[in-house]
Amino acid sequence: MKTDGVYVDTVGVYIPQQRVSVAEAVEQGLYDEFHVQHGTGLTAAHLAGDLPALDMAVAAARHAFRRSAADIEDLEFHAHCTAIQHGPEGFYPPGYVLRELGASGVPSTDVRQHSNGLLAGLEVAVGQLTGAAGAETALVTAAENFTSPLIDRWKGFGTGFTASDGGAALLLSGESGCVALRSLNSGTLPELEQWHRGEESLLPFRGEQRKASGTMELLSYFNQHVMPLDKCMELIRDFELDLVHRSLVEAGLNASDLRWVVAANSDSRMIDQTKMQPLGLPLSRSTWDFGKEYGHMGACDMAVSLNHLLTHGLVSPGDHLLMTTSASGWVSTAAVLTVLDIPDWAQEDTDS
Amino acid sequence: MKTDGVYVDTVGVYIPQQRVSVAEAVEQGLYDEFHVQHGTGLTAAHLAGDLPALDMAVAAARHAFRRSAADIEDLEFHAHCTAIQHGPEGFYPPGYVLRELGASGVPSTDVRQHSNGLLAGLEVAVGQLTGAAGAETALVTAAENFTSPLIDRWKGFGTGFTASDGGAALLLSGESGCVALRSLNSGTLPELEQWHRGEESLLPFRGEQRKASGTMELLSYFNQHVMPLDKCMELIRDFELDLVHRSLVEAGLNASDLRWVVAANSDSRMIDQTKMQPLGLPLSRSTWDFGKEYGHMGACDMAVSLNHLLTHGLVSPGDHLLMTTSASGWVSTAAVLTVLDIPDWAQEDTDS
C-alpha cells in the first residue's frame, strides 16, 4: 500500500548495558569456533538479565515521548508486538505498557508476529491513522528478553544470529515527523507454515514439557520431511522481492535510490545474499556494520537501527530507507521511508 | 469511530456436535448445585475433544466462503484472534488457517485479545478496509478448544460461564453485505491490568510450572490486594457505557433503537446487570436466551450469535444490533451494526 500522511515522530530505545562480546562468550563456553567462523562477524549480545521485556518496552516508549512534543494524553492507538510470551497466559501485555505510561482509555492491540512484529504493528497502526478511526498519534512498542533456560541466545538460532535483549518504540503521527512512511506491503507465505511447527501438537496444553521455539532441531524437521531448505529460501527470496518491488514502485523509487536497507541484525552473508544482492546493492548500504554490534533483538531491530541512523549522523534529509523483515508463518513486510529532517533530539542524544 | 462502507458479507461457524448438558455435567461430578444455582440458567457446553481450535477456525472460514460469492483468491487481509495458545510457541496461527484455505500471499495479523478478540480483529480489519491498504475482502477468524488439564470449563471461570469449544469467522467486504458496520469503539482500561496477572512473573520461562489463566484464584488476588471487585465493576460499567454511547451517537441511534444486544454467552444476571440495565433495555433484547445453549466460546460468541440471529429468523432488514465484549487488559469494544437484508444462505442453512 502507498501511504500518505504517516510519519515517524520519534523513536525510543532501551539497550541493556550488559554487553557480552563474542570473545567473552567463547571464553565462557557459550559460543564456539564453528559459530564464530560461520557467524561471519557477529560481535556481541546485550543481556537484560531479570529486567522483564515489558519494562524495556515501557522505557523505550517513555524515551520516544520524551523526545516528542506529543504528550501521553495525545495517544490514540497502541500496538504492542509480542514475540515470546511476555507474562502469564491470559494476561494482556499492552495493558501493562499503557498503565505504566499512565495512558487510560486508549484503543490497543497485541500483535504477535515475532521478528516481523514491529512492521506488523506499524501496518496495523497505519490502518488506524489512515482509516475510519482517524487516529493522529499512535505508538508501536516491542521488546525481547531471551534469558530463559529454553533459549540458547548464542547457538540456538543457528549461526546467523546472536539473540540480544532490548526494547524499542515508534511514535507515529498523522500530521508530521522526521521520517515519512511512503509505502508498506506485507504478505503471508503459508506454504512454509509448518516450518516453525514441525510435528508439534495444535491442541492446548495436555501435559507436555515446555520446549524452546525456533530451534534448529524443530526447523530441520520441515527441511528434511516437507521442503528442502534451498526450496524454502527460493520461495522466500521471490516472495520478499515482490513485496520490496511493490513498495518501491508505490514510493516512486528504484532500488538504487535507497541510501540504506534496514535488515534484521544477522550475519553479513545472510544480509548480503538475501537482501542486498537481489536488489543489486552493496553490503555497505545495509545496516549490517552497526547491527552486528547490537545483535538480533527480534521485533526491535527496525527501530533500534532507525534510531542509530538518526543519532549517528548516518542519514540526511531526502535519504530513502527500505525496512525489510520476516518471521515464522511465513510472514514478510517491506516498508519504504524517506528522511525529512534530522530532529534536535537526534543530534543531542547520540548515546542511544 | 464511525464506519462507512464496511459490511459483513457472510458468517461462518463450527459448533462441535458433542454437547454436555448441565444435568449431565452434574451427574458426572463436573458441575455442582452451587454453580447451577448461581449460573442462573446456563445449560450446556460444546466439546471439541481432540479437534484443534485452528481446525475449527478453518472449518468456520470455509463455511463463510461457501456462503459467499467471494472466492479465496479475493481475500486481501486476514486477522486471526488467539486466546489461549493455538500451537507451539514460535508458530504463527494465521499461517495455518491460510495454508488450509489455500490462500497464499495474503497480509495477515495474529491479534491476541482473548474474549474481546473477534471485535479487536474486526477493528484491525476496518483499518485495512477503510485506510491506505484499500482492502476489499477481509476475513476474521477465532476458535477455542478449552480441553486441557489446566482448564476447568465448568467451574474454572466462576459461576458466570461454562466454557464451550467452537470456531467462527466473519467475512467482511468493503463493497456490500447483509449487515453494515455503522460504528466501532474500543479502549483499554489499564488500571485493571494486574487483574489477570496477579503476582505472576513477567519474565520468560524460568522453569516454573504451567498454570491455568483467568482462574478465580488468580483474579481474587487483585480484588483482595489491589482493587475491590465492586470498584472494578464500577470502572468497567462506566468505561463500557461510554464506548456504547459513542458508538450509538456515531450510528445516529438511541439505545431504544437496538433490536438486539449481542453479549458474550454468560449468566443472565451478569448480562442483565452489566449490559442491559445500564442501557434501560429488557433482558429479552439480549442474546441470552439462545447464547446459554452454546456456552461461552471466547472470541467466537459474537459471530456465533450473529449467525444464530440470521439463520433463525430473529432479525429483519433495518434491525440494529449492538455487539459488546471485553477481556483482560482490561479491553472493551462496542460495535453497532444494521441488518440490510436476510441473505439466501441464512434462510437455507438453519442447522448451524
Side-chain angles (χ1 to χ4, degrees):
Chain A
M1 61 174 158
K2 181 172 160 62
T3 51
D4 284 311
V6 179
Y7 305 93
V8 177
D9 174 18
T10 63
V11 190
V13 296
Y14 180 88
I15 314 287
Q17 287 197 331
Q18 194 190 348
R19 186 174 178 279
V20 178
S21 71
V22 155
E24 287 164 324
V26 169
E27 208 169 284
Q28 291 169 36
L30 301 168
Y31 211 51
D32 58 38
E33 284 307 324
F34 174 82
H35 282 80
V36 172
Q37 198 181 337
H38 289 85
T40 61
L42 292 168
T43 56
H46 288 266
L47 275 59
D50 284 342
L51 182 65
L54 280 177
D55 287 326
M56 294 191 277
V58 170
R62 287 188 178 134
H63 190 211
F65 271 106
R66 277 199 306 277
R67 288 171 161 183
S68 173
D71 295 319
I72 301 282
E73 291 71 40
D74 300 324
L75 193 59
E76 292 182 314
F77 183 75
H78 173 224
H80 178 71
C81 314
T82 302
I84 57 171
Q85 189 84 16
H86 279 175
E89 184 79 58
F91 144 82
Y92 185 65
Y96 184 87
V97 174
L98 291 173
R99 197 205 55 191
E100 290 292 305
L101 294 178
S104 190
V106 177
S108 67
T109 310
D110 182 1
V111 171
R112 191 166 285 222
Q113 273 202 4
H114 308 96
S115 295
N116 197 48
L118 199 92
L119 295 188
L122 177 57
E123 183 175 23
V124 169
V126 167
Q128 307 309 306
L129 289 161
T130 62
E136 292 193 350
T137 304
L139 173 69
V140 182
T141 53
E144 312 290 349
N145 181 336
F146 292 109
T147 314
S148 165
L150 289 185
I151 298 165
D152 177 346
R153 69 166 77 241
W154 292 99
K155 298 183 290 187
F157 301 105
T159 54
F161 294 100
T162 56
S164 265
D165 303 335
L170 285 183
L171 192 55
L172 304 167
S173 168
E175 291 194 337
S176 63
C178 58
V179 178
L181 179 69
R182 308 279 301 276
S183 59
L184 183 149
N185 287 284
S186 81
T188 315
L189 192 60
E191 293 84 347
L192 304 185
E193 173 276 322
Q194 205 189 341
W195 205 6
H196 289 74
R197 178 169 58 88
E199 291 190 294
E200 295 291 312
S201 171
L202 290 174
L203 289 168
F205 176 75
R206 295 283 168 96
E208 63 277 12
Q209 290 296 305
R210 288 190 83 134
K211 290 183 187 172
S213 65
T215 59
M216 292 317 290
E217 210 173 309
L218 183 132
L219 293 168
S220 300
Y221 173 86
F222 187 76
N223 297 142
Q224 281 164 17
H225 297 90
V226 186
M227 194 186 290
L229 182 61
D230 56 353
K231 172 74 178 159
C232 291
M233 299 311 288
E234 200 183 303
L235 274 178
I236 291 170
R237 189 199 57 206
D238 292 348
F239 179 64
E240 294 196 344
L241 207 52
D242 175 56
L243 294 173
V244 169
H245 278 155
R246 279 156 54 195
S247 301
L248 285 169
V249 167
E250 286 165 353
L253 299 174
N254 295 310
S256 57
D257 296 322
L258 294 169
R259 174 63 193 90
W260 292 102
V261 174
V262 184
N265 299 334
S266 57
D267 82 65
S268 61
R269 196 187 37 200
M270 200 189 294
I271 294 176
D272 197 34
Q273 289 179 2
T274 66
K275 306 290 184 185
M276 307 310 286
Q277 286 178 19
L279 294 173
L281 295 175
L283 185 63
S284 59
R285 287 215 217 164
S286 78
T287 46
W288 148 255
D289 191 49
F290 58 86
K292 70 179 189 295
E293 305 285 335
Y294 291 107
H296 181 42
M297 296 185 189
C300 303
D301 286 5
M302 294 296 104
V304 169
S305 283
L306 179 59
N307 180 71
H308 189 98
L309 290 170
L310 286 164
T311 59
H312 285 72
L314 297 171
V315 281
S316 305
D319 280 354
H320 307 297
L321 318 174
L322 168 69
M323 289 186 172
T324 163
T325 55
S326 51
S328 68
W330 181 269
V331 286
S332 298
T333 308
V336 173
L337 303 97
T338 299
V339 176
L340 301 179
D341 59 62
I342 308 302
D344 291 344
W345 54 260
Q347 296 168 55
E348 290 157 9
D349 188 9
T350 56
D351 283 350
S352 52
Chain B
M1 60 174 159
K2 182 173 160 59
T3 50
D4 285 311
V6 179
Y7 304 93
V8 176
D9 175 17
T10 62
V11 189
V13 296
Y14 180 89
I15 314 288
Q17 286 198 332
Q18 194 190 349
R19 185 175 179 278
V20 177
S21 70
V22 156
E24 287 166 324
V26 170
E27 208 169 286
Q28 291 169 35
L30 301 168
Y31 212 48
D32 58 38
E33 283 308 321
F34 174 82
H35 282 80
V36 172
Q37 200 182 336
H38 289 85
T40 64
L42 292 167
T43 57
H46 287 267
L47 274 60
D50 283 343
L51 183 64
L54 280 176
D55 286 327
M56 294 191 277
V58 170
R62 287 188 178 135
H63 191 210
F65 272 106
R66 276 199 306 276
R67 288 171 160 182
S68 173
D71 295 319
I72 301 282
E73 291 71 40
D74 299 323
L75 193 59
E76 292 181 315
F77 184 73
H78 174 225
H80 178 72
C81 315
T82 302
I84 57 171
Q85 189 83 17
H86 278 176
E89 184 80 57
F91 144 81
Y92 185 65
Y96 184 87
V97 175
L98 290 173
R99 197 205 54 189
E100 290 293 304
L101 293 178
S104 189
V106 177
S108 67
T109 310
D110 182 0
V111 171
R112 191 167 285 219
Q113 273 202 3
H114 308 97
S115 294
N116 198 49
L118 199 91
L119 295 189
L122 177 57
E123 184 175 21
V124 170
V126 167
Q128 306 310 306
L129 288 162
T130 63
E136 292 194 348
T137 304
L139 173 70
V140 182
T141 53
E144 311 292 349
N145 181 336
F146 292 109
T147 314
S148 165
L150 289 184
I151 298 166
D152 178 346
R153 68 166 76 241
W154 293 98
K155 299 183 289 187
F157 301 105
T159 55
F161 295 100
T162 57
S164 266
D165 302 336
L170 285 182
L171 192 55
L172 305 167
S173 167
E175 291 194 336
S176 63
C178 58
V179 178
L181 179 69
R182 308 279 301 276
S183 59
L184 183 148
N185 286 282
S186 80
T188 316
L189 192 61
E191 293 83 348
L192 304 186
E193 172 275 321
Q194 205 189 342
W195 205 6
H196 289 73
R197 177 169 58 89
E199 293 190 294
E200 296 291 313
S201 169
L202 290 174
L203 289 168
F205 176 76
R206 294 284 168 96
E208 63 277 12
Q209 288 298 304
R210 288 190 83 133
K211 289 184 187 173
S213 65
T215 60
M216 292 316 291
E217 210 174 308
L218 182 132
L219 292 168
S220 299
Y221 173 86
F222 187 76
N223 297 143
Q224 281 164 19
H225 297 89
V226 186
M227 193 186 293
L229 183 60
D230 56 353
K231 172 74 177 157
C232 291
M233 298 311 288
E234 201 183 305
L235 274 179
I236 291 171
R237 189 199 57 205
D238 293 350
F239 179 65
E240 293 196 344
L241 208 52
D242 174 57
L243 294 173
V244 168
H245 278 155
R246 279 157 54 196
S247 301
L248 285 169
V249 167
E250 286 165 354
L253 299 173
N254 294 309
S256 58
D257 296 323
L258 294 169
R259 174 64 193 91
W260 292 102
V261 174
V262 184
N265 300 335
S266 58
D267 83 64
S268 61
R269 197 186 38 203
M270 199 188 293
I271 293 176
D272 197 33
Q273 288 179 3
T274 65
K275 306 290 183 184
M276 307 309 287
Q277 287 178 19
L279 294 173
L281 295 175
L283 185 62
S284 59
R285 287 214 219 165
S286 79
T287 46
W288 149 255
D289 191 49
F290 58 86
K292 68 179 190 295
E293 306 285 335
Y294 291 107
H296 181 42
M297 296 185 190
C300 304
D301 287 4
M302 295 296 104
V304 169
S305 283
L306 180 59
N307 180 70
H308 189 98
L309 290 170
L310 286 165
T311 59
H312 285 71
L314 297 171
V315 281
S316 303
D319 280 355
H320 307 297
L321 318 174
L322 169 69
M323 288 185 174
T324 164
T325 55
S326 51
S328 67
W330 181 269
V331 285
S332 298
T333 307
V336 173
L337 303 97
T338 298
V339 176
L340 301 179
D341 59 62
I342 309 301
D344 291 343
W345 54 259
Q347 296 169 53
E348 290 158 7
D349 189 8
T350 56
D351 284 349
S352 55

